[in-house]
Amino acid sequence: MAIIGLNPEDKFKAAGAEILDRYGIRLSVGTDFDEYAEYVADARPEHRVGEPFDHRVHDMAKGKASWIVGRDECGKIIHLQALRLLPTEGRPLSEYFRQSFHEFSPSELDIDFARSRYRPGPGAKRINGRVVYSGETWIGGTPGQFRGTGISSVLGRFALLTALNEFDADYVVGFMARPVAYKGFCLRMGFMHAEPMALRWYIKHQHEALEGVMVYMSDDDIRFLLDLPTSEIEALAA
């Protein structure tokens, strides 16, 4: 299939839609986080929505946060992701996270915040403007149905495109556990930049820390990624 004369966003939409249709996946985007919490409770009953997307704590009005839900051919939820425009208020991202990193802790763990810390890298110190945080990423399905197929590459790029379209993002950032990032999941989700040892979370009464990697993309990075030849986008999900 050749796609000629389209901008990167439209080209990816066309190729991505064909790939998702091949796997029987339907995506929807919304802004009601009460509704999103219901989807999470249905698909991941053991998981609690993290504080970054708690509408009782943050301003999650339309234009400031959105979610993505993917369903299979039977209507079962197989993908969740959320996006939120961070209130950096003109500060570099490094300064924002210095003061607020505790809000981004894993929701299932009892974190010792006194021992935990955030360490900014050079990228975080340069990031400014409209910064969108990407989190709550989950891909389900039966064993082998989607995991290992490469469909995460299409879903990740759809989230990056949503950040551009919904929030006019200058940057998209996220955190990943070190083992997940080091296995290449950050690249599969479309993130070309990573800063190791950005976060160290200590669970109460435990000695070893959990390390988090900060991943990020600029708007130019995202458009470069979306401008991949269609054959390469299709190969990601082959």
Side-chain angles (χ1 to χ4, degrees):
M1 178 181 65
I3 301 176
I4 302 172
L6 297 179
N7 63 36
E9 293 92 335
D10 289 338
K11 183 167 72 172
F12 172 77
K13 284 180 184 177
E18 182 174 316
I19 294 168
L20 293 173
D21 186 63
R22 188 186 310 161
Y23 283 90
I25 297 173
R26 177 172 55 88
L27 298 181
S28 57
V29 178
T31 59
D32 184 337
F33 275 80
D34 279 321
E35 183 180 352
Y36 178 73
E38 293 177 3
Y39 294 144
V40 173
D42 177 34
R44 306 179 66 189
E46 77 290 347
H47 175 74
R48 177 171 56 85
V49 176
E51 186 177 340
F53 300 103
D54 187 341
H55 63 289
R56 298 166 300 181
V57 177
H58 304 289
D59 182 1
M60 309 284 277
K62 186 176 180 180
K64 296 187 178 180
S66 68
W67 45 257
I68 300 166
V69 170
R71 293 176 173 82
D72 65 12
E73 292 176 309
C74 299
K76 183 178 179 180
I77 295 174
I78 53 86
H79 172 58
L80 295 164
Q81 191 156 3
L83 302 166
R84 174 176 153 234
L85 184 65
L86 297 178
T88 54
E89 298 175 345
R91 294 170 290 171
L93 184 65
S94 56
E95 292 304 313
Y96 173 80
F97 277 146
R98 280 187 198 274
Q99 298 178 22
S100 307
F101 79 93
H102 58 276
E103 297 175 6
F104 298 84
S105 63
S107 61
E108 294 90 353
L109 302 178
D110 189 10
I111 298 297
D112 183 343
F113 293 107
R115 289 193 295 157
S116 301
R117 64 114 179 99
Y118 164 70
R119 174 182 176 270
K125 295 175 182 177
R126 292 192 297 265
I127 291 174
N128 211 326
R130 295 179 64 82
V131 183
V132 172
Y133 176 73
S134 172
E136 293 287 317
T137 305
W138 175 79
I139 299 173
T142 58
Q145 183 181 9
F146 300 116
R147 293 182 182 180
T149 65
I151 199 67
S152 59
S153 297
V154 180
L155 295 173
R157 284 156 177 76
F158 181 82
L160 294 170
L161 175 60
T162 301
L164 291 183
N165 290 341
E166 296 289 321
F167 308 107
D168 192 22
D170 295 310
Y171 290 91
V172 180
V173 304
F175 291 115
M176 291 186 185
R178 174 178 172 171
V180 175
Y182 280 32
K183 287 179 181 177
F185 189 65
C186 50
L187 284 172
R188 291 199 297 275
M189 292 299 291
F191 287 96
M192 296 162 47
H193 308 286
E195 295 192 341
M197 299 183 68
L199 288 170
R200 288 180 69 84
W201 298 117
Y202 284 91
I203 301 173
K204 289 182 179 178
H205 312 301
Q206 293 190 18
H207 177 69
E208 297 295 326
L210 302 176
E211 183 181 321
V213 176
M214 192 192 88
V215 295
Y216 67 94
M217 291 282 277
S218 71
D219 56 342
D220 286 339
D221 291 330
I222 296 170
R223 291 187 175 92
F224 168 81
L225 193 70
L226 298 177
D227 202 27
L228 282 172
T230 303
S231 58
E232 293 189 29
I233 296 175
E234 292 178 333
L236 291 170

